[in-house]
Amino acid sequence: MPTARQIVHEFLERRGMTTIFGNPGSNELPFLAELPGSFRYVLGLHEGAVVGMADGYAQATGRPVLVNLHAAAGSGNAMGALTNAVYSRSPLVLTAGQQVRQAIGPEAMLANVEATQLMRPLVGWAGEPACAADVPRSLAQAVFEAELRRRPTYLSVPYDDWDAELGGNALVTLDRDVRRALTPAEADLAALATEVAEAANPVLVLGGDIDTAGLFTRAVALAEHLELPVWVAPSPFRLPFPNRHRLFRGVLPAGIGALSDRLAGHDLILVLGAPVFRYHQHVPGPYLPEGATLVQVTDDAEAAARAPMGRSLVADPGTVIEALLGRVAGRPTGQGPRFAPNEEPAPAPRDLHPEQVFAALREAQAPGTTYVVESTSTNAAWWRQADLREESSYFFPAAGGLGFGLPAAVGMAMGRPQRPVVAVIGDGSANYGITALWTAAHYRVPVTFVILRNGSYGALRWFGDLLGTPDVPGTDIPGLDFTRIAEGYGVPAATAADLPDLRARLKGPADGPRLIQVDTHLTTPE
């Protein structure tokens, strides 16, 4: 009879989940034994980097991915990175080895006590099979829960379960399949189409879920068909609309009052594929401008339930977009070019201004480049200079947790090798996921890492000014040299001496990982 391990390996292979990201310990070895040759095990040197790489891979492929963590200690190391995966709605399936069953109660070394509680409330589902015979079904549930909820799940498995021989009832798991459909009712579609058609000054607000669902070009079609100004919902983890398009108005600020001010004058605010809203800094004010109605369309029932204002329709945004395209008459098209030119880069009194760096990237990289950005103090400079016209062009830590950028870029490049990947990382952020450089070097992943070094947590300085608490300790980080760190991990690295040197180093595609350190002028996020 087949073992639990053999059944699970076959189930994963049938589901196309043959890439595993992990950092194993002793409890995980029995699961990894006899791994079929069709599988690829991607080793990371720290569980935070492992989850970050898997997050990037899942976002790049749009499919669930298996992550193998070590008991409670490894799971704990991964939790910071897990927060980003939760808010990017990445379908990660986290598995962790558990001690043998008879050793859990006495709390032997490496026993994961109350394993199902450890990762909550971050994960959408957590389980531990009640017996060895339930291992395949439990693993299948973890996969389906991740797909259906679009949220990470967690399964703890006692390591003596993997060698257990199982009967026919366990084999039926191999044929399991679960599908999801969220088609809105005809009455809801008709009412929304009428509301949009009759609005005097509607506006479209798009969220990262639009890009996740592959609706980037359809969102452009809808905006152009209805001639709607487009804002991106605050704190975007992906870009759902070309940022140089003539209808693009920018990224909404993450403060209640400031966001409301930006939308003043609109009577209908149609939000597709975003929560309403992911605020950050506390800026008091009304949720909505006077006279405005908000309608949210999302397939995330939790986001709809917790929204503080407006009406929510839990449905597939793609279905709604197609309904509006077919039911609402088009409006006259605006005049002028479809895309607006970039502004001239700002100069810097010393070093390089981030805008100069981003302009150089725009000029040197191929149009379809994927950018993983984790430099929060340079947001304003980024949006002034970036020119992103294709889907899956921009990724950002969805929960704001540092350490996403470096590992996610490695996962992105492994999941979508046909597109070049550039990681733009601040010097404060880079330290959190730095071990991902070893994985990039070991697997020769073609990523360009651009590290912006200003010797400070720039975003914290800005936030300190906002809160009226300037000059607090812990915001300066001098003395870092990422070229030496990168070379220690096996990644070729250099410091760009000036703008011509930076441009020269950016030329040509990367045939493996490379790191370019750039000393930049300290700026503010907005």
Side-chain angles (χ1 to χ4, degrees), residues 36-60:
S38 57
F39 281 69
R40 172 174 61 168
Y41 186 87
V42 180
L43 176 63
L45 303 187
H46 184 276
E47 290 86 356
V50 165
V51 170
M53 288 187 287
D55 188 0
Y57 187 87
Q59 291 195 58

Side-chain angles (χ1 to χ4, degrees), residues 62-452:
R63 300 193 304 270
V65 59
L66 194 75
V67 181
N68 192 227
L69 303 175
H70 181 38
S75 299
N77 287 340
M79 289 180 75
L82 183 59
T83 61
N84 288 316
V86 169
Y87 284 99
S88 65
R89 304 182 68 199
S90 296
L92 305 187
V93 180
L94 309 178
T95 58
Q98 173 66 289
Q99 258 288 7
V100 297
R101 290 182 179 275
Q102 64 184 11
I104 300 172
E107 298 189 16
M109 184 74 74
L110 301 180
N112 191 350
V113 181
E114 296 191 35
T116 60
Q117 301 301 314
L118 178 64
M119 307 298 272
R120 289 175 172 162
L122 290 175
V123 296
W125 177 87
E128 187 172 79
C131 61
D134 197 39
V135 170
R137 188 210 61 81
S138 296
L139 190 280
Q141 182 176 358
V143 172
F144 295 135
E145 293 272 11
E147 289 180 318
L148 294 173
R149 299 191 188 205
R150 284 182 53 195
R151 186 164 182 157
T153 57
Y154 183 76
L155 181 68
S156 169
V157 182
Y159 73 77
D160 53 337
D161 284 1
W162 292 112
D163 286 323
E165 294 185 347
L166 305 184
N169 278 349
L171 290 171
V172 300
T173 300
L174 295 172
D175 297 320
R176 288 274 292 134
D177 193 24
V178 179
R179 299 298 175 96
R180 169 189 176 123
L182 285 172
T183 302
E186 171 61 29
D188 291 324
L189 290 176
L192 181 59
T194 298
E195 193 168 11
V196 171
E198 294 179 352
N201 189 18
V203 62
L204 189 59
V205 178
L206 301 176
D209 287 347
I210 293 297
D211 193 44
T212 301
L215 298 173
F216 188 93
T217 57
R218 300 311 290 159
V220 173
L222 178 64
E224 292 179 343
H225 178 69
L226 299 178
E227 196 63 19
L228 293 178
V230 176
W231 287 92
V232 171
S235 309
F237 65 96
R238 298 176 72 143
L239 183 66
F241 197 82
N243 74 302
R244 305 311 305 175
H245 194 285
R246 62 181 177 79
L247 293 173
F248 182 76
R249 298 295 181 264
V251 177
L252 285 169
I256 294 173
L259 185 151
S260 182
D261 288 345
R262 292 286 202 284
L263 297 177
H266 294 289
D267 58 338
L268 176 63
I269 302 166
L270 179 59
V271 183
L272 301 179
V276 288
F277 286 107
R278 294 230 37 227
Y279 302 111
H280 182 197
Q281 60 270 23
H282 182 59
V283 181
Y287 280 122
L288 296 174
E290 185 176 356
T293 297
L294 182 144
V295 178
Q296 174 197 34
V297 179
T298 176
D299 65 356
D300 185 348
E302 292 182 2
R306 69 173 178 261
M309 72 290 203
R311 303 197 320 275
S312 297
L313 177 62
V314 180
D316 172 20
T319 301
V320 173
I321 288 174
E322 297 305 323
L324 293 177
L325 282 167
R327 298 170 185 237
V328 182
R331 302 187 181 190
T333 303
Q335 302 300 312
R338 189 179 184 212
F339 288 93
N342 293 81
E343 300 178 54
E344 285 298 316
R350 59 177 179 81
D351 300 323
L352 291 177
H353 195 286
E355 285 195 40
Q356 295 175 301
V357 177
F358 301 151
L361 277 169
R362 185 188 71 239
E363 294 161 3
Q365 300 304 301
T369 296
T370 292
Y371 291 94
V372 181
V373 180
E374 191 177 17
S375 176
T376 53
S377 65
T378 61
N379 279 346
W382 171 261
W383 292 118
R384 278 170 58 92
Q385 295 305 321
D387 189 349
L388 308 174
R389 306 190 185 192
E390 297 185 22
E391 64 180 5
S392 300
S393 292
Y394 172 83
F395 297 85
F396 190 84
L402 300 186
F404 168 82
L406 275 168
V410 176
M412 293 277 176
M414 297 183 87
R416 192 184 289 119
Q418 69 274 19
R419 288 180 66 171
V421 175
V422 173
V424 179
I425 314 294
D427 52 357
S429 302
N431 294 284
Y432 288 78
I434 198 68
T435 59
L437 291 177
W438 179 89
T439 303
H442 182 70
Y443 297 97
R444 289 201 54 78
V445 183
V447 179
T448 299
F449 301 101
V450 178
I451 307 294
L452 306 181

Side-chain angles (χ1 to χ4, degrees), residues 352 357 360-366 421-422 447-451 483 487 491-519:
L352 291 177
V357 177
L361 277 169
R362 185 188 71 239
E363 294 161 3
Q365 300 304 301
V421 175
V422 173
V447 179
T448 299
F449 301 101
V450 178
I451 307 294
T483 63
E487 288 168 355
V491 174
T495 297
D498 50 31
L499 192 57
D501 187 32
L502 173 62
R503 287 173 173 152
R505 293 186 182 280
L506 289 172
K507 285 184 178 178
D511 58 0
R514 59 181 178 177
L515 184 145
I516 304 171
Q517 180 173 267
V518 186
D519 289 332

